[in-house]
Amino acid sequence: MRRQSVLGGGAGWWWRGGGAVAWWGAVVLAHLVTPGRAGLLETNPGLAYNFYQTSCPSAEATVKSITWQMVAANPALAGRLLRLHFHDCFVQGCDASILLDTPASQNEKSAPPNGSVGGYEVIDAIKTKLEATCPGVVSCADIVALAARDAVSYQFQASLWQVETGRRDGSSSLASNAGALPSFSAGFAGLLASFAAQGLNVTDLVALSGAHTIGKASCSSVTPRLYAGNATSVDPLLDSTLAAVLINKCPNNASSSSATVDLDGNTPLKFDGVYYTNLINKRGLLASDAALMQNAAAAAIVNDLTNPIKFYAAFAMSMKKMGRVNVLTAKNGKGKIRAQCRAP
Ligand code: HEM
Ligand SMILES: *[C@@H]1O[C@H](CO)[C@@H](O)[C@H](O)[C@H]1NC(C)=O
Ligand SMILES: *[C@@H]1O[C@H](CO)[C@@H](O)[C@H](O)[C@H]1NC(C)=O
Ligand SMILES: *[C@@H]1O[C@H](CO)[C@@H](O)[C@H](O)[C@H]1NC(C)=O
Ligand SMILES: *[C@@H]1O[C@H](CO)[C@@H](O)[C@H](O)[C@H]1NC(C)=O
């Protein structure tokens, strides 16, 4: 049913702004959007596909239409919304705690690493619309998960992965919990440990890092790889041609602190898996990206995921796992549906 509507609605497959027709995209997407593929994960905390089918039938269509509209106007929102879901899930579970404005200045969103996290205005617009049509039904945490998928999927004009729903919202947000987020300067062991703490393995680490095939980073996330104090000192794991470009864009002084650079300098807006080829060519932007090539098992997965068909499948599966991290659901009797996403 859904498969039909996705294919029926997808009037051709293309990369916006690109031109190359990704014929394999149709094949992969048609496969991925088939709901209820069994046996993916052993335990289910109480989520389901189309959780709102009867309680708010328009929910997913509303999220999609508002997200697509806003991403069409501002393509940078795709990266922001994808990152928002990641930051939500890694800090006390996918419970929309990252959206809370309270307690002021001690909430998750005020805690580093918070550079370039955003898209809150998209969530607000969706929530306002859904509260008007289905008051008290659709959780902020589900809106975040759906909007991340729809924002990335806009360029395909179809859904790139299936999203389970049925999350409820938490009521607390603490900056001190943001330490669960991995650092851009983490080495492989540190990255793996932070993923393992969420029940995610090396396959998930490599697949989800593929999110860095879109979006931007602040110069401050990169300059440690370019300079040591006042001297230029390029990380040996960074390609020297890319280093020269970055040194130009992120000069070694305060003027560069608010500048940004593309995470994937080759195809910055395309969700295409070129990220993995970049890694092999020492052109991953962050130290944490380069770290994936420093472990044999991870590097083997990187090689595998240079094939976009494999990347999309792996990304879909790992997003599903990440979307289950510490969720509050009716099944476990926790959480609530917040009336406003910014307030408990
Ligand atoms: C593996 C550990 C990870 C680390 C250390 C990491 C770190 C970072 C850093 C430092 C930035 C740039 C922030 C800035 O300087 O403004 C960034 C951006 C981004 N990250 Fe990650 N990240 C990781 C994993 C993930 C995952 C799992 C996802 C989503 C599934 C994700 C999605 C994104 C996106 C989309 C951006 C671009 C944001 C934008 O354009 O606004 N990252 N990440
Ligand atoms: C990010 O964290 C820093 C340090 O706590 C804080 O000063 C800044 O205001 C935060 N940024 C946002 C957008 O909340
Ligand atoms: C990671 O977990 C998934 C299932 O959740 C599994 O298919 C995959 O093989 C695991 N990866 C490793 C390296 O164990
Ligand atoms: C960098 O240069 C400034 C000005 O010359 C100096 O005050 C500062 O100590 C230097 N920092 C380092 C890490 O060398
Ligand atoms: C920062 O460095 C760049 C490149 O070296 C230079 O053009 C610029 O004037 C510097 N800005 C400040 C505020 O020092």
Side-chain angles (χ1 to χ4, degrees):
M1 216 165 72
R2 185 178 170 90
R3 178 185 168 130
Q4 249 172 16
S5 72
V6 167
L7 288 176
W13 302 86
W14 69 94
W15 295 109
R16 281 189 180 249
V21 175
W23 60 268
W24 35 262
V27 177
V28 171
L29 294 177
H31 194 56
L32 286 180
V33 297
T34 305
R37 298 175 76 196
L40 203 53
L41 299 167
E42 283 151 34
T43 54
N44 188 324
L47 304 178
Y49 293 124
N50 290 314
F51 181 84
Y52 300 109
Q53 198 160 28
T54 50
S55 57
C56 185
S58 62
E60 295 205 18
T62 300
V63 175
K64 186 169 104 170
S65 80
I66 294 176
T67 305
W68 279 20
Q69 220 174 308
M70 293 178 86
V71 171
N74 179 8
L77 284 171
R80 295 213 190 103
L81 287 163
L82 179 55
R83 189 163 191 238
L84 188 65
H85 182 40
F86 163 52
H87 279 217
D88 185 31
C89 292
F90 263 57
V91 184
Q92 79 180 35
C94 317
D95 64 348
S97 50
I98 192 165
L99 305 179
L100 291 170
D101 285 337
T102 51
S105 79
Q106 292 160 32
N107 51 39
E108 260 174 68
K109 66 168 61 153
S110 72
N114 58 9
S116 82
V117 177
Y120 300 110
E121 70 280 13
V122 181
I123 308 300
D124 290 339
I126 295 166
K127 182 64 172 175
T128 300
K129 175 77 176 167
L130 286 177
E131 282 303 301
T133 39
C134 311
V137 173
V138 184
S139 70
C140 299
D142 281 343
I143 295 172
V144 170
L146 290 165
R149 186 269 310 272
D150 293 336
V152 171
S153 298
Y154 171 70
Q155 62 184 264
F156 296 90
Q157 294 290 295
S159 296
L160 191 52
W161 64 90
Q162 281 281 109
V163 175
E164 292 182 318
T165 42
R167 293 171 194 78
R168 289 176 171 183
D169 303 322
S171 311
S172 68
S173 172
L174 270 184
S176 54
N177 288 339
L181 288 164
S183 160
F184 59 78
S185 57
F188 179 78
L191 293 173
L192 191 62
S194 91
F195 274 62
Q198 311 287 351
L200 302 174
N201 65 23
V202 62
T203 310
D204 303 312
L205 168 61
V206 177
L208 292 173
S209 292
H212 291 174
T213 196
I214 57 169
K216 289 183 176 283
S218 319
C219 280
S220 58
S221 299
V222 181
T223 45
R225 301 190 76 193
L226 307 174
Y227 313 111
N230 290 348
T232 296
S233 163
V234 175
D235 181 346
L237 300 179
L238 181 61
D239 167 65
S240 57
T241 307
L242 177 58
V245 170
L246 295 174
I247 286 168
N248 187 45
K249 288 187 174 162
C250 300
N252 191 13
N253 59 36
S255 71
S256 84
S257 64
S258 61
T260 57
V261 285
D262 294 323
L263 280 157
D264 168 4
N266 292 340
T267 54
L269 287 172
K270 290 183 190 172
F271 198 80
D272 59 3
V274 163
Y275 170 79
Y276 296 103
T277 311
N278 290 343
L279 293 189
I280 291 168
N281 295 326
K282 293 171 64 176
R283 294 177 69 88
L285 187 74
L286 306 173
S288 59
D289 297 320
L292 299 179
M293 295 303 289
Q294 299 307 300
N295 171 274
I301 300 168
V302 166
N303 274 308
D304 218 32
L305 299 190
T306 54
N307 175 343
I309 294 181
K310 291 188 181 178
F311 168 51
Y312 292 153
F315 194 78
M317 176 155 159
S318 293
M319 284 297 281
K320 181 171 178 174
K321 283 175 82 172
M322 189 179 87
R324 288 182 174 187
V325 169
N326 284 329
V327 287
L328 314 175
T329 64
K331 187 176 172 187
N332 61 34
K334 293 181 188 158
K336 61 188 274 196
I337 307 299
R338 300 206 297 257
Q340 285 180 45
C341 291
R342 292 173 182 269

